[in-house]
């Protein structure tokens, strides 16, 4: 039987080209379907250039810290980006060729041009850059902030800002769904303050928590304290995270902090976002954690509080 002319490489050659062992290549194919090489009549695998490009992307995602199963789901769900170049040509790279920054700049530029198709394409390309949390921290988050600044400055219109928010928001929902750990034993419920509409940063927090092994329960914008109480009673999260990006008048802020503290009913809770620093004293006085804009820096504090909570409370399913 004549082999497919596009299938050029045997497994040993692919292993040498990519640095991925033959055993790993077979395991990826068997477990995740990445890639799916053709076969000769003697059942030898034959890999095409596209197969090799897919393996390289899988390798890079795994090296960057993404689980193989998550990497495979990501790549197989975005077939159009498999053959995209992974690096600029040798000798053509200026000093500022960090791929995350380049991707951010391209997203902002297509937003400036009001180019929906171009924006979708640039956002899709970011999905192979690394772990989901790195994509948010280094590309999508900075792009959202820059686009917001351009809108506030009057450089772009509200229509352009809304287009970018919708496309990037949809991407964050997709990333969070893919990043959810299948074997998570802890859950975090994430919601915005009662008067807060800005939800995209909350997805970034969700990606951070999934990278720490949490199952993320996304509640969303404008969540009043009674709704948090219902979440705590019905879903029994280990942690509640609240986001507030806009400044809240002091009397209203103090009222909300007290109400959220009561609603959490002893479950560990935190407040983050640009508007949280003004509430720090009230949050901490009620036993909460104020993380400001840097959730990652608060991880040790969060883990310490969760460990203390675990010692005090029975595990799920146990009898009081």
């Amino acid at each position: 039987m004549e082999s497919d002319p596009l299938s050029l490489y045997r497994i040993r050659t692919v292993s040498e080209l990519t640095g991925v062992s033959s055993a790993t290549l077979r395991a990826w194919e068997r477990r995740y379907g990445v890639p799916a090489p053709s076969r000769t009549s003697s059942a030898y695998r034959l890999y095409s250039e596209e197969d090799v490009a897919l393996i390289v992307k899988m390798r890079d995602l795994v090296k960057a810290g993404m689980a193989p199963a998550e990497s495979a789901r990501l790549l197989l769900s975005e077939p159009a980006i498999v053959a995209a170049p992974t690096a600029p040509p040798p000798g053509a790279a200026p000093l500022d060729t960090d791929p995350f920054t380049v991707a951010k700049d391209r997203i902002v530029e297509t937003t400036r041009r009001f180019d929906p198709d171009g924006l979708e394409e640039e956002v899709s390309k970011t999905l192979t850059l690394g772990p989901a949390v790195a994509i948010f921290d280094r590309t999508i988050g900075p792009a959202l902030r820059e686009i917001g600044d351009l809108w506030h400055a009057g450089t772009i219109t509200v229509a352009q800002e809304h287009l970018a928010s919708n496309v990037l928001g949809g991407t964050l929902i997709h990333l969070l769904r893919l990043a959810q750990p299948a074997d998570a034993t802890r859950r975090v419920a994430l919601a915005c303050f009662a008067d807060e509409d800005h939800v995209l940063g909350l997805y970034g927090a969700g990606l951070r928590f999934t990278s720490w092994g949490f199952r993320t329960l996304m509640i969303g914008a404008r969540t009043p304290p009674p709704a948090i109480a219902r979440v705590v009673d019905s879903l029994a999260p280990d942690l509640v995270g609240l986001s507030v990006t806009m400044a809240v008048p002091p009397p209203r802020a103090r009222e909300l902090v007290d109400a959220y503290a009561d609603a959490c009913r002893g479950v560990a809770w935190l407040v983050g976002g640009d508007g949280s620093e003004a509430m720090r004293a009230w949050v901490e006085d009620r036993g909460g954690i104020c993380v400001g804009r840097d959730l990652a820096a608060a991880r040790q504090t969060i883990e310490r509080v969760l460990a203390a909570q675990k010692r005090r409370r029975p595990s799920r399913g146990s009898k009081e």
Side-chain angles (χ1 to χ4, degrees):
M1 184 180 81
E2 214 172 282
S3 64
D4 182 344
L6 294 178
S7 298
L8 305 176
Y9 307 111
R10 294 280 185 93
I11 192 169
R12 179 181 295 180
T13 303
V14 173
S15 179
E16 292 172 353
L17 287 171
T18 62
V20 179
S21 72
S22 296
T24 298
L25 291 173
R26 294 188 189 98
W28 286 355
E29 178 187 347
R30 183 176 67 254
R31 296 173 184 172
Y32 314 119
V34 176
S38 60
R39 303 278 185 140
T40 68
S41 57
S42 303
Y44 287 108
R45 292 171 174 83
L46 290 174
Y47 294 82
S48 68
E49 294 283 358
E50 186 176 88
D51 291 331
V52 174
L54 186 61
I55 291 165
V56 168
K57 289 184 178 294
M58 179 86 165
R59 177 202 67 194
D60 291 346
L61 289 173
V62 171
K63 280 187 175 180
M66 187 179 287
E70 180 187 341
S71 303
R73 287 197 300 270
L74 181 60
L75 292 173
L76 293 177
S77 69
E78 298 289 344
I81 63 176
V82 166
T86 57
L95 293 176
D96 58 346
T97 53
D98 169 64
F100 293 95
T101 301
V102 170
K104 183 268 294 181
D105 291 342
R106 288 175 175 169
I107 289 170
V108 173
E109 180 55 32
T110 52
T111 300
R112 282 179 180 270
R113 295 201 310 266
F114 211 4
D115 178 1
D117 293 338
L119 179 59
E120 292 275 7
E121 180 179 356
E122 294 301 337
V123 171
S124 290
K125 289 177 182 177
T126 69
L127 300 181
T128 60
L129 291 178
V133 69
I135 292 170
F136 178 82
D137 286 347
R138 299 173 62 184
T139 296
I140 294 180
L144 285 168
R145 287 192 290 273
E146 186 167 339
I147 290 165
D149 290 343
L150 290 172
W151 174 60
H152 283 295
T155 306
I156 63 174
T157 66
V158 68
Q160 290 165 288
E161 190 272 339
H162 282 183
L163 171 68
S165 294
N166 285 331
V167 172
L168 292 171
T171 301
L172 290 174
I173 293 170
H174 176 62
L175 281 174
L176 185 59
R177 184 180 301 115
L178 288 174
Q180 295 281 13
D183 56 351
T185 58
R186 301 187 296 179
R187 294 185 290 183
V188 57
L190 298 178
C192 291
F193 259 49
D195 304 323
E196 179 67 58
D197 288 312
H198 297 84
V199 74
L200 296 184
L202 202 62
Y203 281 94
L207 291 171
R208 176 72 64 186
F209 277 111
T210 62
S211 74
W212 295 344
F214 284 81
R215 173 76 178 175
T216 299
L217 310 172
M218 188 62 64
I219 309 304
R222 288 185 172 268
T223 307
I228 292 297
R230 179 64 185 274
V231 168
V232 169
D233 290 342
S234 301
L235 303 180
D238 299 276
L239 176 68
V240 173
L242 300 166
S243 174
V244 54
T245 64
M246 307 299 290
V248 180
R252 173 66 170 161
R254 184 59 188 265
E255 174 191 350
L256 285 172
V257 167
D258 285 341
Y260 283 121
D262 292 339
C264 288
R265 308 184 192 285
V267 171
W269 62 289
L270 61 84
V271 181
D274 289 345
S276 65
E277 282 295 342
M279 307 178 188
R280 178 177 291 275
W282 298 327
V283 170
E284 293 178 350
D285 183 60
R286 290 302 310 269
I289 306 167
C290 184
V291 302
R293 289 183 59 178
D294 195 352
L295 175 60
R299 184 178 183 182
Q300 288 187 341
T301 300
I302 293 169
E303 294 291 355
R304 185 171 63 251
V305 170
L306 288 173
Q309 174 176 270
K310 187 175 181 180
R311 290 193 295 269
R312 292 194 306 268
R313 302 176 65 191
S315 60
R316 286 194 193 96
S318 65
K319 295 182 178 179
E320 296 282 355

